[in-house]
Amino acid sequence: MADTILIILTILLVYIYLGYPVILGALAILFPRKHRLDEGYEPALTLIISCRNEEQVISAKLENSLHLDYPQDKLDIVVVSDCSSDDTDRIVAGFADRGVRLVRQDERKGKTAGLNAALGRVSSEVVVFSDANAMYDRFALRRLVRHFADDRVGYVVGYARYESTFETCAGTSEGLYWNMEVKMKEWESAFSSVVGGDGAIYAIRGGLYEPLRETDINDFVNPLQIVARGYRGIFDREAWCSEKPAGQFQKEFARKVRIVNRSFNGLLRVPGACNPIKAGRFAWQLISHKLLRWFSPFIILAHFILTITMHLEEPAQPLPLIFTILYFLAALLAFAGCWRNNKSRALFYFPYYLALMNIASAAGILIRLRGKVITTWDTVRENSSPVNRMINFTPLVLLVIITACLLRFVQWFGLNLFFLHASSIILFLVLAYTYLGYPLAVAGLAKLRPVRTKRDERFLPEVTLLIVAYNEGAAIESKLLNCLGLDYPPHLLRIVVASDGSTDSTEAITLSFKDRGIQLRAYPENRGKIAALNDAMEGIASDIVVFSDASVLYHPQAIRKLVRHFFDPRVGAVSGKVILQNEGVSYGPAEKQYYCIEHFVQEKEGVTGTVIGADGAMYAIRRSLFTPPPFATINDDFTISMNIARNGYLVLHDREALGYEKNLAEIGKEFRRKVRIIAGGMQYLLSGVALPRPSQRMLWFKFVSHKVLRWFSGVMTMMLLVILLVLSRNDSNSLNTWMLYSLYASMLIAAVGHVAPATRRITPIGLLHYLFVLKFATLVGCYLGLSGRQKVTWKSL
């Protein structure tokens, strides 16, 4: 049964990517459908140009449109602005005396809403839709409208030529893929109707436009509606325009997600187009070219899972073995392409592009199945879409495929025990590297590759000290008195307290300091720290912002020590050193030793140019580099500082910028705090917000070594324990026995520390207890973070 399903899925995938184009090409040659052309046909025509924030290209587009070879008395040009926030509308208004009309949406509603508004003011026989970056050939309009001489033609799609496709790997991949698509459009047009329009250049009969929903993608839904009414759609390669491709994998990925999401939504709106009784040949084309292509990632996933899991207890079978090898090679090439995409050859970057497009299709479909349609849009010249961040999952997906294939090879070729032995050693070494090897490695890097920066003790920029607080009534007065005693010019220091819906005396105490210059931003609802922080930052314009917790008291020189580094324009953020005063808690000595190592690592990372994650209790940034993290962000300090590092700025550590924090929370509260931090780390990985760029190899090295490995240390410890237990029953050796009993002993000592708190003062017991508490916290944090169960709102400890 499994073999049959695998063969069926294989045939289906071959049909989608190879069979359909071959069959379609043959049918187009054997059974073409002719239609009438009239080169002299000149109907009244409206050219509608959709735009949002296109100040870079709109002037050139309008000049191009005004010089097209078409009778000026029959040509009307309308620009639809989707609430542009740049100079687009002003530039368009400058063309009013040349007959160009502007239709502006005062609220950002999306491209389709704008077209609905514009079409309500248009009465021409033919409407041509265009994008602002699409520059038309002089005769493009004539070549489009000549087809409407045939009454059976309802829409005509032109040819969007991509310029400069070979400047980047992304552009080259996009160009290669698009050339294949164009050939299929020609065959579809010859055999029946071209599937879908092209937002850059396509025309319809004015009377066939039906007002669309804001969630519809106009150049796909409108052609479907026209075909459902019995008209044809024609593709004309001679009616062409030129436009630049996205040119970046990230932008092309985001564009693909949006197109698939909205097109699938459109298909659900016009299901009759898939009915062969109503749509004839077109229904077969629509299902084969679009619907199956959109769902191909899920077919590939089912095919891959079946390939990897079938015949688990049997020797390698030819078919699964061949497919596993193919998956392994394809994923390996794509994985190499995603890290070398600016310099790699087509052998690497095209597999990576195909992987991206499949993941983008899956994302678009899943977003729609969850009931969401991406209505608003970003041009390829913008880079603000949150969908862009989903591209960061691609390397992880490829790595999973590679790992699964390797595990299958191991199982097939009888290397099970060897693999388990090797895995146990690797896991042990990785854990040792996480806590011992990386501190030594980063210390070596600090010696070999220090980053020299300029600093000036006399540099005194305007600073805002921002304290985000929730129910800090017990600490806020001491904190504010501490702030007022800082050694920094008062006229250059502004102190702001943002209260996140505090219900105790926090706000009343803060207001009592109003006459001493301290400002209160009181937010009535407890929404989470990041919401209050983002809102407070909107009203801050100082050069430097220092973030602080209410429980941390600064050394008088702390602000001066932090800001002196910003004399160097390369510096984007500086983290201070917060010393814990925890003599009153049972695990205090162990925590001090742990943070002694942590401060050592941060200091050495700072010497090499980037601290991985600033200390939220005490760090400073340039205000101009602040990017508001998403509303649900848990680890705001980590996300903000990593985003600054991602943008190429230095993130330093200053051990002389001191803060002091009393920790009176016993181990239960400390455990919950660590769980929240780990859950925030998982959220950070899943969201992809501010992950290092592929080209930032040093930043990736430090990020993975310092944070990712620690976040997953509990999982790795559990894996090591399970593997060692399996080996102890089957094929143990002295090394495995030593590791197993060492792990047993460590767990036993940690358990002693847990049940007898007084013993935590003994260094080995305290350290092992604290370490295993952290490991257990990583397990719980991983679960809460990956499942999305960690709350964003916070509690004061």
Side-chain angles (χ1 to χ4, degrees), residues 351-405:
Y352 175 55
Y353 177 82
L354 294 178
L356 278 183
M357 294 305 100
N358 275 287
I359 293 173
S361 293
I365 293 293
L366 290 173
I367 291 171
R368 174 57 187 85
L369 292 176
R370 291 177 62 187
K372 182 179 179 182
V373 182
I374 304 172
T375 304
T376 55
W377 57 317
D378 293 300
T379 71
V380 298
R381 286 153 300 286
E382 294 180 295
N383 195 25
S384 59
S385 172
V387 174
N388 289 337
R389 298 190 295 269
M390 299 172 67
I391 194 175
N392 295 299
F393 287 106
T394 304
L396 180 60
V397 171
L398 295 171
L399 197 58
V400 168
I401 294 172
I402 292 169
T403 303
C405 291

Side-chain angles (χ1 to χ4, degrees), residues 128-150:
V128 176
F129 300 94
S130 180
D131 290 336
N133 65 320
M135 302 301 164
Y136 281 20
D137 171 62
R138 183 185 175 193
F139 303 104
L141 296 183
R142 287 190 176 276
R143 288 167 179 164
L144 287 172
V145 302
R146 61 184 175 176
H147 299 276
F148 291 107
D150 190 322

Side-chain angles (χ1 to χ4, degrees), residues 449-667:
R449 298 179 60 181
V451 175
R452 308 294 183 187
T453 60
K454 300 175 183 178
R455 69 184 189 187
D456 188 345
E457 304 289 345
R458 298 167 298 175
F459 183 64
L460 298 174
E462 289 187 2
V463 174
T464 297
L465 177 58
L466 176 61
I467 306 161
V468 182
Y470 172 68
N471 286 354
E472 292 284 3
I476 194 66
E477 183 175 6
S478 298
K479 175 63 177 178
L480 296 180
L481 290 171
N482 172 257
C483 293
L484 292 170
L486 292 173
D487 179 20
Y488 203 81
H491 67 285
L492 295 176
L493 178 62
R494 179 187 180 199
I495 302 169
V496 177
V497 176
S499 173
D500 182 34
S502 295
T503 56
D504 65 353
S505 59
T506 299
E507 295 176 8
I509 293 172
T510 303
L511 282 173
S512 69
F513 284 82
K514 183 179 179 180
D515 59 344
R516 301 173 72 177
I518 292 178
Q519 301 175 23
L520 171 67
R521 302 282 175 82
Y523 303 105
E525 183 182 353
N526 178 219
R527 299 167 296 163
K529 181 178 181 181
I530 193 60
L533 187 149
N534 284 344
D535 286 351
M537 286 295 287
E538 289 182 2
I540 293 175
S542 60
D543 300 327
I544 306 298
V545 180
V546 177
F547 298 99
S548 179
D549 289 343
S551 57
V552 178
L553 302 182
Y554 283 13
H555 186 280
Q557 293 284 316
I559 301 291
R560 286 181 179 269
K561 300 295 184 183
L562 289 172
V563 302
R564 59 183 174 174
H565 299 277
F566 292 104
F567 178 75
D568 191 323
R570 298 174 299 163
V571 175
V574 182
S575 183
K577 180 179 179 179
V578 177
I579 299 173
L580 292 176
Q581 298 174 325
N582 55 5
E583 292 79 6
V585 295
S586 61
Y587 61 94
E591 186 182 39
K592 274 194 173 181
Q593 290 170 327
Y594 178 85
Y595 276 98
C596 181
I597 298 172
E598 184 67 11
H599 288 147
F600 172 82
V601 171
Q602 290 177 341
E603 181 183 344
K604 299 307 178 185
E605 286 179 340
V607 172
T608 60
T610 309
V611 175
I612 303 302
D615 190 326
M618 187 182 196
Y619 74 107
I621 69 167
R622 292 187 189 274
R623 174 62 182 87
S624 59
L625 300 181
F626 176 76
T627 300
F631 173 77
T633 301
I634 298 170
N635 293 349
D636 55 281
D637 48 354
F638 188 83
T639 302
I640 291 169
S641 59
M642 285 297 289
N643 190 62
I644 291 172
R646 185 180 190 271
N647 289 324
Y649 289 88
L650 301 177
V651 179
L652 305 182
H653 176 80
D654 192 324
R655 64 180 180 180
E656 295 180 2
L658 297 177
Y660 304 91
E661 181 176 16
K662 286 186 178 181
N663 180 13
L664 303 178
E666 260 305 337
I667 196 66

Side-chain angles (χ1 to χ4, degrees), residues 380-436:
V380 298
R381 286 153 300 286
E382 294 180 295
N383 195 25
S384 59
S385 172
V387 174
N388 289 337
R389 298 190 295 269
M390 299 172 67
I391 194 175
N392 295 299
F393 287 106
T394 304
L396 180 60
V397 171
L398 295 171
L399 197 58
V400 168
I401 294 172
I402 292 169
T403 303
C405 291
L406 287 173
L407 290 173
R408 195 66 166 114
F409 292 146
V410 166
Q411 192 274 333
W412 272 331
F413 299 112
L415 301 176
N416 305 52
L417 292 176
F418 169 79
F419 173 74
L420 290 175
H421 282 296
S423 297
S424 66
I425 295 171
I426 291 171
L427 284 170
F428 179 81
L429 292 175
V430 170
L431 286 168
Y433 168 78
T434 302
Y435 293 103
L436 298 175

Side-chain angles (χ1 to χ4, degrees), residues 43 62 89 94 160 182 253 410 412 445 448 550 555 616 621 637 668 702:
L62 293 177
D89 296 349
V182 167
F253 177 88
V410 166
W412 272 331
L445 284 173
L448 298 173
H555 186 280
I621 69 167
D637 48 354
K702 292 193 285 188

